[in-house]
Amino acid sequence: MSTLVEAHIRPQAGKGAARKLRVQNLIPAVVYGKHLKEALHISVDPVAVRKAIQTPRKLNTVLTLSLNNGETHLVLLKDTQRHPLSDKLLHVDFLSVREEESVKVNIPIVLTGRPQGVIDGGVLSQQRRNLEVWALPASIPEQIEVDVSHLKMAQVLHVNDIAMPEGVVHKSNINFTVATISTPETESAAAAATPTETKTETKAAAKDAKKK
């Protein structure tokens, strides 16, 4: 299921045209994607867009843009420009998607259960709170729940240890650290080591992205 948002073809671009739209309580928007010969310049109601993504999936909510020329486009909201003071939407970018093709999205990771290591006096630390995955638009999950009740003292949970929901695939050569159980004595040392580990993982992720 997708949420319907009405949109209009925008014949003009530029700051002047954008100001005219905002007088009408509309904002400029762009639809792009590999399925389109060229980007579509449209206008949308910012209030309608905000309401449309007020679902458990938030920015991963699949939307159907209904254009005034009769076209419809299945999209995800990918980027926004907001007023620095009022936080009002000023411009939005939509990514065109198709029901039968997987799309790359970031999904929140939620840890569940009380780890055995915590019961024994350890401290649970979550190093990674979002995960980049591929999924069909209809299969995009609200979140990825991971039961950590089995983790013992000094154990580490990696991305490769997580069972992905049906229809969801994680594509990376990097086995990222998601959570750790540390002893109280080593908690401060682990915290100090985290920036270095994160920096190393970031470099590795960049190298992995170039390979793709």
Side-chain angles (χ1 to χ4, degrees):
M1 291 290 292
S2 62
T3 304
L4 186 67
V5 175
E6 293 186 357
H8 294 77
I9 296 295
R10 178 163 51 99
Q12 295 177 317
K15 294 183 178 179
R19 281 194 293 269
K20 290 180 181 179
L21 286 175
R22 292 182 184 115
V23 170
Q24 305 172 52
N25 294 320
L26 300 173
I27 59 171
V30 175
V31 183
Y32 66 92
K34 64 180 182 179
H35 312 117
L36 304 176
K37 293 182 179 179
E38 58 184 8
L40 295 176
H41 296 273
I42 62 174
S43 62
V44 292
D45 180 347
V47 175
V49 173
R50 280 184 179 273
K51 287 182 178 179
I53 61 173
Q54 288 179 356
T55 73
R57 290 183 173 81
K58 298 181 181 179
L59 292 180
N60 291 327
T61 302
V62 180
L63 309 174
T64 296
L65 291 180
S66 177
L67 276 58
N68 61 323
N69 64 356
E71 294 181 10
T72 58
H73 293 271
L74 205 63
V75 300
L76 289 173
L77 181 60
K78 296 303 291 184
D79 197 14
T80 63
Q81 290 181 12
R82 300 171 184 268
H83 192 281
L85 299 179
S86 66
D87 197 42
K88 289 183 178 179
L89 288 177
L90 301 177
H91 187 281
V92 295
D93 288 349
F94 295 104
L95 174 66
S96 174
V97 299
R98 289 186 174 174
E99 293 180 346
E100 70 278 7
E101 293 186 11
S102 294
V103 62
K104 183 168 62 176
V105 290
N106 280 303
I107 305 297
I109 299 175
V110 177
L111 305 183
T112 64
R114 190 181 183 198
Q116 181 60 47
V118 171
I119 296 174
D120 295 336
V123 178
L124 171 66
S125 300
Q126 186 172 353
Q127 273 78 35
R128 201 168 190 85
R129 298 186 179 277
N130 291 278
L131 187 61
E132 187 177 84
V133 300
W134 291 81
L136 294 175
S139 299
I140 298 175
E142 297 176 17
Q143 58 192 29
I144 296 175
E145 294 189 359
V146 184
D147 184 2
V148 294
S149 57
H150 66 284
L151 289 181
K152 298 179 180 179
M153 194 78 73
Q155 281 195 323
V156 179
L157 177 74
H158 293 96
V159 169
N160 289 353
D161 300 323
I162 299 175
M164 294 295 153
E166 186 176 355
V168 177
V169 178
H170 173 62
K171 297 181 181 180
S172 177
N173 294 324
I174 313 302
N175 193 15
F176 295 106
T177 298
V178 175
T180 60
I181 302 290
S182 57
T183 61
E185 294 78 11
T186 60
E187 181 184 359
S188 58
T194 298
T196 303
E197 179 185 7
T198 302
K199 186 175 181 181
T200 302
E201 288 186 346
T202 301
K203 289 182 178 179
K207 185 181 293 184
D208 185 49
K210 288 182 179 180
K211 291 180 180 180
K212 295 179 182 178

